[in-house]
Amino acid sequence: MEPLVSVITPAFNRVTYIRQAIESVLSQTYSQIEFIVVDDGSSDGTFELLSECDSRGELRLFTHPDRQNLGQSAALNLGLRHASGRYIVILDSDDVLHLEKISKQVAYLESHPDIGMVYGQAMAISSDGKELFPIPPNDHVEPGDPNRLLLDCYMALPGGAMVRKSVFDQAGFFEESFRASQDHDMVVRIAEVAPFVYLPGIVFYYRKHAESISQQGLERRWIAGFEILARAKKRFSYRSSTIRKRKALLHFRMGQVRWFQRRLLSALWHFIRAGLGDPKRSMAVILGFEKAR
């Protein structure tokens, strides 16, 4: 028999897009799917839409007590506690799965029992569904090194990846104190406990729209990044150069945030820390050889 796959979607005020996300799961070429959606206190009609889907048997809907808004990590953890599949897929409520994503990734993991996680490409799309660019780029090669993943944060967990439930059991739950970067924290922890591979090809569509992360959200992301790095250093034997360069990158990102906030002295301090931590990369950015995305 085909193994069961649990698809978990955290949802908060996504009534405009979530129907497409649901349809992309229901239309998969793979049949053994358990679809779990956790509403995180939506107030825009998302909860009512999901309740109708639940009553039709299209998904299993869960909420926090009193329908509280506890954040994405808490929603994902609630979904994981109810998941019974051999494999886990996390789909954000405004993204869309490729029709063959689950069947292809299950086939790979079933034939490679030593691999804990497989991921593919996302196609970035606009709010109206227009294709923009692939993530990662078409020439991407996965080195399978946790050092590289911690340093450059080149993949995120939602949409593109499929992870063995047994690997989640080893890595633990999402960190609920993080209101940003919890996906990067989790994928780093997964890479520390299990081998992971990349299969070229689009497996989901990542929506970029006007509700994307704000400057305040970016500040939360990079503050969380420093804590993620500190925890990773205690947990795993990363190279000292990886820790130093990642810290430099985080200082650079905080410098950008402070610059846009017009906190110029703070921005300058972070840029200096970035330059001292990774002078080669800093010079490449200054000279235009590397883009400061």
Side-chain angles (χ1 to χ4, degrees), residues 147-199:
N147 283 275
R148 170 79 184 281
L149 190 56
L150 176 66
L151 176 60
D152 286 329
C153 189
Y154 54 83
M155 72 159 289
L157 195 58
M162 178 178 288
V163 185
R164 294 183 189 275
K165 177 63 162 57
S166 58
V167 171
F168 267 113
D169 292 339
Q170 294 179 67
F173 288 108
F174 285 84
E175 177 52 65
E176 295 187 13
S177 67
F178 295 156
R179 287 298 184 113
S181 295
Q182 63 275 353
D183 53 350
H184 176 55
D185 175 62
M186 177 56 80
V187 80
V188 166
R189 285 156 50 199
I190 288 172
E192 292 169 359
V193 301
F196 58 102
V197 299
Y198 165 71
L199 295 181

Side-chain angles (χ1 to χ4, degrees), residues 34-47:
E34 170 189 60
F35 190 17
I36 296 170
V37 181
V38 179
D39 183 78
D40 191 28
S42 296
S43 58
D44 68 339
T46 297
F47 173 74

Side-chain angles (χ1 to χ4, degrees), residues 102-250:
I102 292 180
S103 61
K104 288 182 176 179
Q105 292 186 337
V106 167
Y108 184 87
L109 289 176
E110 285 290 283
S111 61
H112 296 81
D114 57 317
I115 301 299
M117 175 175 66
V118 61
Y119 73 100
Q121 283 176 297
M123 174 59 71
I125 59 174
S126 62
S127 58
D128 59 358
K130 180 182 178 181
E131 294 188 2
L132 302 174
F133 51 83
I135 308 170
N138 292 326
D139 59 355
H140 176 68
V141 176
E142 176 53 65
D145 181 4
N147 283 275
R148 170 79 184 281
L149 190 56
L150 176 66
L151 176 60
D152 286 329
C153 189
Y154 54 83
M155 72 159 289
L157 195 58
M162 178 178 288
V163 185
R164 294 183 189 275
K165 177 63 162 57
S166 58
V167 171
F168 267 113
D169 292 339
Q170 294 179 67
F173 288 108
F174 285 84
E175 177 52 65
E176 295 187 13
S177 67
F178 295 156
R179 287 298 184 113
S181 295
Q182 63 275 353
D183 53 350
H184 176 55
D185 175 62
M186 177 56 80
V187 80
V188 166
R189 285 156 50 199
I190 288 172
E192 292 169 359
V193 301
F196 58 102
V197 299
Y198 165 71
L199 295 181
I202 302 300
V203 295
F204 87 113
Y205 299 87
Y206 164 66
R207 197 180 304 273
K208 296 176 68 67
H209 50 76
E211 299 170 42
S212 297
I213 194 165
S214 64
Q215 285 299 317
Q216 183 181 2
L218 286 173
E219 184 175 18
R220 287 196 300 267
R221 173 179 291 182
W222 305 129
I223 289 174
F226 282 105
E227 178 61 24
I228 291 168
L229 181 62
R231 296 185 186 190
K233 182 180 178 180
K234 294 178 180 178
R235 209 174 42 232
F236 190 80
S237 57
Y238 289 102
R239 293 189 293 268
S240 58
S241 61
T242 299
I243 301 298
R244 172 176 53 81
K245 291 179 180 179
R246 179 62 183 171
K247 186 176 291 187
L249 179 60
L250 290 169

Side-chain angles (χ1 to χ4, degrees), residues 23-82:
E23 291 295 341
S24 76
V25 176
L26 300 180
S27 302
Q28 288 293 300
T29 56
Y30 191 82
S31 61
Q32 295 301 308
I33 297 175
E34 170 189 60
F35 190 17
I36 296 170
V37 181
V38 179
D39 183 78
D40 191 28
S42 296
S43 58
D44 68 339
T46 297
F47 173 74
E48 289 74 16
L49 185 154
L50 292 173
S51 296
E52 293 175 6
C53 294
D54 180 72
S55 66
R56 291 194 296 266
E58 296 174 344
L59 53 84
R60 296 171 62 199
L61 176 62
F62 295 92
T63 63
H64 304 298
D66 301 321
R67 294 195 54 229
Q68 298 175 79
N69 172 241
L70 300 181
Q72 189 176 59
S73 290
L76 287 169
N77 288 342
L78 181 57
L80 284 171
R81 290 187 182 97
H82 288 280

